[in-house]
Amino acid sequence: MKISCIQMDMRLGAADENFAHAEALIRETVSRERPDVAVLPETWNTGFFPEDLAACADRDGARTKAVFSALARELNVNIVCGSVANQRGDGFCNTAYVFDRSGEVLAEYDKTHLFTPSGEHHAFRAGDRTCRFRLDGKKCGLIICYDIRFPELTRTLALEGVDLLFAVAQWPEKRTMHLETLARARAIENQMFLALCNSVGAAGETRCGGHSAIIDPWGEYLARAWDGEETITGEADFSVIEDIRASINVFRDRRPELYHL
């Protein structure tokens, strides 16, 4: 499976401009790289996060679904559409959407771990479900940014059979080392592929650090970005997972009776 992570820059609160830019980047990426999956970062529609969410957030994903369902169908590509600031009823969620090649919405996921140091929990409601789906027959999962600091979530997805994890983020530059370390750890400890798509540029006073990556189950980089807007592409060969899990079978050797979580 060929995966392209689009390390997008965006303007805080400028939804119209960001929608146009995201669509243009996907078109350019599909034309140049011919991926099976194109991936966008976290809250690319608004940035993370403007003061007046009501003025720029999507409404129950309506705009995201209309634009990217049609785009996935037109380009015959799976789109892991990052996440968007999204109004649901009288509140807001940080919601990820996944589209298959036919434009069908395969998954919707509201971020479950909200970043309290920045006050995200005051602006958004937390989700209460994990996210699993299949792309071209491959078992996939999705997490959003701060979620990656909670190994229980990724291990839950691994135990449910996920072989490829998408992690979409607006992770700050000053903690780039944490992101790189956590992403490789999640891939290694769960013996899965991990496609990390972070953003770049400024969101208010915070500068996002990029360093998107596609990582194999050994923790090796298949593709790696730096700190500017760019697209990276890597190919996941799922046949290696069986050999890795046979040679170091951490799932067989688990002792869940000792774990108190």
Side-chain angles (χ1 to χ4, degrees), residues 8 19 33 50 70 74 78 142 152 159 170 173 183 185 233 251 256:
M8 176 180 165
F19 263 90
E33 302 290 343
E74 176 193 342
N78 301 294
L142 187 146
E152 305 96 323
L159 292 172
Q170 280 218 22
E173 184 178 54
T233 300
F251 294 98

Side-chain angles (χ1 to χ4, degrees), residues 172-228:
E173 184 178 54
K174 64 183 178 181
R175 290 190 290 276
T176 294
M177 183 272 287
H178 289 192
L179 180 61
E180 292 184 310
T181 303
L182 290 164
R184 295 182 78 183
R186 296 296 87 87
I188 294 166
E189 69 196 4
N190 295 291
Q191 300 177 329
M192 59 171 53
F193 288 92
L194 191 146
L196 165 67
C197 188
N198 195 22
S199 61
V200 292
E205 295 181 358
T206 301
R207 179 160 291 279
C208 296
H211 287 77
S212 300
I214 300 168
I215 303 167
D216 76 7
W218 289 116
E220 300 291 339
Y221 289 111
L222 301 177
R224 191 178 185 187
W226 301 105
D227 57 1

Side-chain angles (χ1 to χ4, degrees), residues 53-221:
L53 275 172
C56 54
D58 205 347
R59 303 292 189 273
D60 199 26
R63 185 175 186 180
T64 304
K65 293 173 186 176
V67 171
F68 292 93
S69 175
L71 190 63
R73 186 167 55 249
E74 176 193 342
L75 300 178
N76 187 34
V77 67
N78 301 294
I79 300 177
V80 175
C81 203
S83 75
V84 294
N86 184 38
Q87 186 166 7
R88 291 190 191 276
D90 60 354
F92 297 90
C93 295
N94 185 340
T95 307
Y97 293 97
V98 179
F99 303 88
D100 69 10
R101 296 177 187 270
S102 71
E104 180 181 353
V105 180
L106 293 184
E108 299 186 22
Y109 170 68
D110 294 333
K111 186 177 181 180
T112 51
H113 298 92
L114 302 180
F115 191 59
T116 57
S118 71
E120 186 180 11
H121 60 303
H122 295 307
F124 294 96
R125 285 198 305 254
D128 58 7
R129 290 179 292 178
T130 60
C131 183
R132 292 182 294 127
F133 51 94
R134 286 179 182 260
L135 290 179
D136 294 348
K138 305 304 182 185
K139 297 176 182 178
C140 302
L142 187 146
I143 62 175
I144 300 174
C145 203
Y146 191 41
D147 284 339
I148 204 169
R149 287 190 181 271
F150 298 86
E152 305 96 323
L153 176 58
T154 304
R155 176 51 58 92
T156 296
L157 292 169
L159 292 172
E160 291 172 343
V162 165
D163 292 326
L164 168 60
L165 182 66
F166 295 97
V168 300
Q170 280 218 22
W171 197 280
E173 184 178 54
K174 64 183 178 181
R175 290 190 290 276
T176 294
M177 183 272 287
H178 289 192
L179 180 61
E180 292 184 310
T181 303
L182 290 164
R184 295 182 78 183
R186 296 296 87 87
I188 294 166
E189 69 196 4
N190 295 291
Q191 300 177 329
M192 59 171 53
F193 288 92
L194 191 146
L196 165 67
C197 188
N198 195 22
S199 61
V200 292
E205 295 181 358
T206 301
R207 179 160 291 279
C208 296
H211 287 77
S212 300
I214 300 168
I215 303 167
D216 76 7
W218 289 116
E220 300 291 339
Y221 289 111

